[in-house]
Amino acid sequence: MSIEKVDTLVVGAGQAGVAMSEHLTRNGVPHLVLERDRIAERWRTGRWDSLVANGPAWHDRFPGLEFADTDPDAFVSKESVADYFVEYANLIDAPIRCGVEVKKAEQLANRAGFRVETSDGVIEAKSIVAATGAFQCPVVPPVVPKETDIVQMHSFDYRNPGQLPDGAVMVVGAGSSGVQIADELMRAGKKVYLSVGPHDRPPRAYRGRDNVWWLGVLGMWDAAAMKPGTERFTICVSGARGGHTVDFRDMAAQGITLVGMTQKFEDGVLSFAADLAENVANGDAGYLSMLDAADSYVTRNGLDLPEDPEARDFGPVPESVNDPVLELNLVEASINSIIWATGFSQDFSWLKVDAFDEAGKPKHQKGVSSELGVYFLGLPWQSCRGSTFIWGVWHDAKHVADHIATQRKYLEYKRPCESVPQS
């Protein structure tokens, strides 16, 4: 059976794979993109029904294409985002092959390159780009045993309130996914408990500019790493209902019961840390520091942006913060379902190369692996804070593609033939 050979093989055709294909083409690098499902499949089937992008349409896109018939300040639906990547792939004529799963990739013996086993046969590639993204394997902490009457699901599997049984819902995790799902369930008439851990709570907009604009002009998108001590922080920002600033006081005032970080489950009782007030206060402090930085920027640059004093007006501290619930008997509270909005891990088990540390995380510099010929794209903080965002992965892809093109030039170099003396 013949073996297909390619120069560069890109695994995954989400936003990372599509961006990678564009920059490889621009560099003249022959390549193939393999996708086990459809282009941008995770946007379609790995998100809840009402999800919209967390950034406005003018910002959360690739440079070469705007969202058609869309208000630039709107937050685009997940289906429209997926359609956008399909359109973009067609625009750049990306060589994407869907319905092909990569099962294993390993180095070739005694020569450069990799042998890649797929569901459609074997491929040999000189370089591999793992563009499978940051949201691969849902993480559910082993707190509540599966052998209970409680319906448990990760936010990855949540679609809409109609999925859940009657009764109250516990949402664990107060990042963007957790707060949006909790809000949706509350508005659907559910009694909701929300477990809030350490978080960063930026303003959705301030002084007439969206948060993404402030992050840009203040240079915050370019941060190379998280600030020490914030590694466990989640980001809670929302584009839902036209976009709004997440405020836990407002959520409590509307009927959501806030609790601290979920710790353990025993004899039907779920226990929480006594850290709710601290987490909310730290989130508020981060929020206010962002407003301070924005105000300083306006003054320093003499900008004519409207003042926004209401942005600093906080409502009263909720009772659930002043007198936190530390234990909940799930039966007595009528909690029949738990949604774990607790993040994702990555799975590179198919990639059998020496490119990972002891924790299984890729060893790389801005996506260029420690293993020659292996590259990564779509990793959190791959080069900066913006790396997992649509626009950010496009710029990271350019860096990786440029490196691949440069390596090809080295490998193609041949010494000039010595001139033969004429007789």
Side-chain angles (χ1 to χ4, degrees):
M1 190 173 180
S2 62
I3 295 178
E4 183 177 5
K5 297 185 179 183
V6 299
D7 185 287
T8 299
L9 182 67
V10 181
V11 182
Q15 59 200 43
V18 173
M20 193 73 238
S21 182
E22 177 178 7
H23 288 295
L24 289 172
T25 298
R26 289 186 175 188
N27 277 286
V29 178
H31 64 283
L32 173 65
V33 183
L34 297 183
E35 167 57 50
R36 64 183 178 184
D37 295 306
R38 297 173 293 177
I39 294 172
E41 181 70 20
R42 287 295 175 265
W43 276 99
R44 297 192 192 277
T45 57
R47 309 286 196 274
W48 60 95
D49 296 344
S50 64
L51 177 73
V52 297
N54 269 341
W58 68 264
H59 185 265
D60 280 13
R61 64 177 179 86
F62 289 168
L65 182 68
E66 296 181 355
F67 283 95
D69 303 320
T70 300
D71 181 342
D73 289 319
F75 299 90
V76 183
S77 71
K78 70 184 185 74
E79 289 293 337
S80 294
V81 174
D83 291 343
Y84 174 89
F85 289 121
V86 173
E87 182 181 358
Y88 204 94
N90 291 331
L91 177 69
I92 64 174
D93 196 23
I96 298 175
R97 193 176 298 170
C98 293
V100 180
E101 181 180 4
V102 172
K103 298 181 177 293
K104 184 170 72 171
E106 58 188 353
Q107 290 178 317
L108 291 167
N110 302 317
R111 57 192 175 101
F114 304 88
R115 182 181 189 275
V116 183
E117 296 179 11
T118 81
S119 58
D120 195 37
V122 175
I123 296 175
E124 287 187 2
K126 295 178 181 178
S127 300
I128 292 180
V129 181
T132 48
F135 310 109
Q136 297 174 40
C137 302
V139 172
V140 176
V143 177
V144 180
K146 295 180 179 179
E147 301 77 20
T148 67
D149 294 331
I150 305 296
V151 173
Q152 300 185 66
M153 68 178 67
H154 192 272
S155 58
F156 179 84
D157 299 304
Y158 170 77
R159 295 294 174 267
N160 55 66
Q163 275 181 296
L164 305 182
D166 292 339
V169 186
M170 168 64 68
V171 179
V172 181
S176 294
S177 296
V179 296
Q180 291 181 51
I181 291 172
D183 181 72
E184 177 174 89
L185 292 170
M186 180 272 295
R187 292 176 184 278
K190 291 281 191 183
K191 172 59 182 175
V192 179
Y193 296 83
L194 178 61
S195 177
V196 179
H199 60 270
D200 182 14
R201 187 176 74 84
R204 172 71 276 172
Y206 182 58
R207 299 188 72 160
R209 294 291 188 271
D210 191 86
N211 176 60
V212 299
W213 188 86
W214 286 115
L215 289 172
V217 299
L218 294 172
M220 294 181 178
W221 281 126
D222 299 322
M226 300 183 77
K227 294 179 180 178
T230 66
E231 293 82 3
R232 294 173 59 226
F233 280 32
T234 56
I235 309 297
C236 43
V237 65
S238 177
R241 297 181 284 109
H244 62 279
T245 297
V246 173
D247 189 333
F248 291 107
R249 291 176 180 78
D250 288 346
M251 298 183 80
Q254 294 177 56
I256 294 177
T257 300
L258 307 178
V259 295
M261 285 193 70
T262 301
Q263 288 189 316
K264 65 178 182 178
F265 178 79
E266 187 175 358
D267 297 329
V269 175
L270 203 55
S271 301
F272 312 99
D275 61 355
L276 178 59
E278 178 184 0
N279 294 336
V280 171
N282 287 341
D284 291 346
Y287 168 87
L288 291 172
S289 70
M290 182 75 170
L291 302 192
D292 291 341
D295 287 340
S296 295
Y297 182 86
V298 169
T299 300
R300 185 170 63 253
N301 292 280
L303 300 183
D304 184 20
L305 295 181
E307 294 187 1
D308 190 1
E310 292 184 359
R312 296 177 181 271
D313 292 341
F314 292 157
V317 177
E319 181 182 351
S320 57
V321 174
N322 283 327
D323 186 18
V325 174
L326 300 180
E327 292 186 342
L328 265 179
N329 184 299
L330 299 190
V331 172
E332 292 178 359
S334 300
I335 296 175
N336 294 325
S337 51
I338 300 176
I339 296 177
W340 298 94
T342 42
F344 295 80
S345 63
Q346 295 169 309
D347 180 12
F348 296 108
S349 59
W350 56 273
L351 192 50
K352 309 295 184 182
V353 297
D354 184 20
F356 306 96
D357 62 19
E358 294 179 354
K361 294 183 178 181
K363 295 185 293 185
H364 71 98
Q365 287 290 329
K366 297 183 178 180
V368 179
S369 170
S370 59
E371 185 72 19
L372 291 176
V374 176
Y375 300 86
F376 296 94
L377 188 60
L379 301 177
W381 295 87
Q382 177 159 315
S383 68
C384 64
R385 179 176 185 163
S387 288
T388 50
F389 290 78
I390 292 172
W391 64 271
V393 78
W394 189 90
H395 290 283
D396 281 353
K398 182 181 186 304
H399 175 78
V400 173
D402 288 348
H403 191 277
I404 292 173
T406 299
Q407 290 302 110
R408 290 181 81 237
K409 291 177 182 177
Y410 281 121
L411 294 173
E412 290 169 358
Y413 171 77
K414 292 181 175 57
R415 292 184 61 190
C417 296
E418 293 182 358
S419 58
V420 180
Q422 304 216 354
S423 55

